[in-house]
Amino acid sequence: MDLSETDLKQESAYLSETVSEINKQIEDYGIKITDEGEELKEFQRLRWEMEQEMDKGERYAFVRDNDLKIALLNDKTKKVRRLHKIKNSPYFASIIFNDEPIYIGITAVKKDTDYLVCDWRAPICSLFYDYGLGHAEYSSPGGSEEGNITRKRQYKIEDATLKHVFDTTVNIDDELLQDVLAQTSSDKMKNIVNTIQAEQNEVIRNSKNDTIVVQGIAGSGKTSVALHRIAFLLYKLEYLTSGNVLIFSPNNVFTEYISEVLPDLGEDNTLQTTYHSFASTFISEYNSVEAYSSFVERYYKGKRQDNDLIKFKLSDDIIPAIEAFTNFYTKAARFLKDLEYREKKVPMEELNELLHVRYENKPLFERVDLIAEKINNTYYKGKDSMLPLLKKALLKISNFKYDFNEVYKFFYDSAIFKDAYPYMYRKNENMRNLEGSIINYEDATPYIYMKCLLEGFPYQVAMREVVIDEAQDYTYLQYKILKRIFKNAHFTILGDVNQTVNPFYKYDTLEILLNIFDTNSEYFELTKTYRSSPEIIEYANSILNLNHVSAIRKNVNLPVLKREMSELKHIGRDIRYLKKKYKSVAVITKSIDEARIIADGLKTVYKEVCVIDVTTEKFDKHLIVAPAYGVKGLEFDSAIIVNNFSHDKYLYYVAVTRAQHELIVYE
């Protein structure tokens, strides 16, 4: 709806007032930062000069005051950074609620006692995302607040100038949303704070549950929702900092792709890792752990001789097998003779009493540590240097050896395994796979679980919020391990069962994860897709026979083009066609070998061809060649799908749903 001339003048005047106040605060904060910085330097100089004359209490007071001054200075610096970020576009929407105008932006702007702009995360701002005109309510620290929304307005502001303003409703096909969806993609994921939809907002603002599990179809904004949820929790929870949040990403490329969202929202980036990197920290007995992408590639290359065994190792059935074995191994453990060390003698009976009575509730190898400590305190006057020597001596007189590689091998050669899974017994295959310097992906998680059961789980108490993206590619056992290790953390878990690329493991629903995270957990579904055109979504639906996925995008009218040939010259022709219209083009294959062959051929014409493989951390999105599993979570203006995915429908679905505007497939 077009605004009257009077409304436009009022809006322009309000924008001018807001920008002026922001610039004033930037200047004021700048002066304070300079002055306080000089004061801090002087304070630290005096401290060093007087250090020798201070007693312990005075030094403590100096350190405390110094830390406080640094914290206050950092807060002001962060505030200035936020103000600089918004000064050219301080807000994106407004509502009138109970006759009070509320302007909404990424960062709050306060003038005296009044808010010129409210932070989008403030409770009252949820009204903009959740309601149209009419009755509305929101939860505030003081309780539920009710009233009426009489106006909703959205803005496009550039360089502190009002470019466009219009009245709107909560309708999903609002003008601004369609404008955003029609834009070309960028090399980095952007924030969606001005287009968050009601179903997304429900997940973002959920702070009542310890664990939330989100099933979201391709293009539903799962990752964006997760990042905006983190920003919301950092705003709402005083105890939470960016250093207390850990994100599990599918690969390093994806980590780089999402790296600008939180800074765009005025927050510091959180800690990020991949499950592969996480697993590698637990397995010191091997030089490295096979990456998930390498495992997938191994399967799709046709090296499938051990498929039944691999499937077992990735299934839930491996869990009771490992638990039974570790229980057996622990009960069978004992000391075979007295400990005689440095003229001291500890009777075998005493050692075994400590092993199986005194410390019976501890993991086996933790018991050895405790026994070594007990003996050291009793017989050797508690010298710390003795502990590793005593531990080594204890293991030497036991019937169990602390060589975990051998323990894991023994599991597959044990009577427990042979009797319970005779059809799965593959001694030679197992031993061959475990003899190299790299442990296979399918062995890594069972290995970690067994090791933690015998050694104890290394609890990461500092992490308070853990986010797991692409949840459908994690096994049940991986979740059990993460839950045990991050015992103080709340979890946000997001995925899509239709996008698994693990050929051996697929959930019918992610809701099964509530069985692990059973305390105060909730399951959500994101059912609308915002990424792809209606034509692309229709084609994607046909791959998996889906009928519940509909595109929010409108008026594209570009059919999916189908080709019969996939020779390089044909691919080059299609790239030239797409590059005339779009910023980014992706050529998506089934395997990395296919991707490299095509990329090598294209480099004669396109010098900046980027191949995404297991080593890729940064990329130029303009022309990408990659296997389907390497572009999970990414999106492109257009895509060309090469090779036959007919037997791998989930992988194919992942591939085609990367395209936003136009798709070409070679069948």
Side-chain angles (χ1 to χ4, degrees), residues 405-641:
N405 182 278
E406 294 302 315
V407 176
Y408 187 70
K409 291 178 183 177
F410 180 45
F411 165 58
Y412 291 106
D413 196 32
S414 66
I416 286 178
F417 190 81
K418 292 178 186 177
D419 294 344
Y421 307 97
Y423 56 91
M424 205 65 66
Y425 181 63
R426 303 281 195 278
K427 181 179 178 180
N428 292 335
E429 293 175 6
N430 264 301
M431 298 306 121
R432 184 176 62 252
N433 292 337
L434 295 168
E435 287 297 338
S437 62
I438 302 174
I439 188 170
N440 286 346
Y441 172 83
E442 64 269 20
D443 279 300
T445 297
Y447 193 97
I448 292 170
Y449 189 54
M450 187 181 296
K451 194 173 186 179
C452 287
L453 289 176
L454 290 172
E455 287 187 345
F457 286 83
Y459 301 124
Q460 301 289 334
V461 296
M463 292 300 129
R464 305 299 298 275
E465 187 74 32
V466 174
V467 178
I468 300 174
D469 205 353
E470 300 294 343
Q472 73 281 350
D473 289 331
Y474 287 68
T475 67
Y476 199 83
L477 181 55
Q478 287 172 332
Y479 285 111
K480 282 182 68 74
I481 292 171
L482 293 173
K483 176 63 175 174
R484 292 282 296 272
I485 291 175
F486 300 103
K487 65 175 184 177
N488 286 350
H490 294 174
F491 283 78
T492 300
I493 303 170
L494 312 97
D496 178 16
V497 293
N498 298 312
Q499 294 187 68
T500 182
V501 298
N502 185 335
F504 298 102
Y505 204 89
K506 182 180 185 298
Y507 299 116
D508 292 328
T509 171
L510 292 179
E511 199 167 5
I512 190 176
L513 298 180
L514 299 183
N515 297 334
I516 298 175
F517 304 92
D518 56 355
T519 56
N520 194 20
S521 56
E522 191 167 352
Y523 177 74
F524 296 87
E525 290 189 0
L526 300 178
T527 59
K528 302 180 177 73
T529 180
Y530 305 92
R531 175 186 298 146
S532 303
S533 69
E535 293 81 8
I536 293 172
I537 293 302
E538 183 181 1
Y539 184 82
N541 286 346
S542 70
I543 297 171
L544 299 180
N545 295 318
L546 303 177
N547 55 23
H548 63 283
V549 180
S550 59
I552 301 304
R553 296 271 311 278
K554 307 295 183 185
N555 304 319
V556 178
N557 298 320
L558 289 171
V560 174
L561 300 178
K562 300 177 183 179
R563 311 290 198 212
E564 294 183 356
M565 300 292 291
S566 60
E567 295 180 12
L568 192 61
K569 63 180 181 181
H570 299 126
I571 297 172
R573 175 198 60 198
D574 285 331
I575 290 173
R576 290 192 296 274
Y577 159 72
L578 294 172
K579 290 292 284 183
K580 291 178 181 178
K581 303 170 65 177
Y582 305 110
K583 181 180 178 181
S584 65
V585 178
V587 180
I588 303 175
T589 64
K590 182 187 285 188
S591 74
I592 187 62
D593 289 344
E594 293 167 341
R596 288 169 177 154
I597 291 171
I598 291 173
D600 287 342
L602 292 174
K603 285 178 180 178
T604 59
V605 179
Y606 300 97
K607 294 182 179 180
E608 297 182 355
V609 179
C610 178
V611 178
I612 296 180
D613 59 22
V614 68
T615 65
T616 307
E617 295 185 358
K618 297 183 179 182
F619 66 102
D620 183 342
K621 202 174 177 183
H622 294 175
L623 181 54
I624 295 292
V625 185
Y629 58 80
V631 292
K632 295 192 70 174
L634 306 182
E635 59 186 30
F636 307 91
D637 294 330
S638 56
I640 301 170
I641 312 301

Side-chain angles (χ1 to χ4, degrees), residues 97 131 135-147:
F97 180 67
Y131 292 95
H135 179 265
E137 60 183 294
Y138 70 97
S139 296
S140 72
S144 180
E145 302 286 343
E146 296 187 39

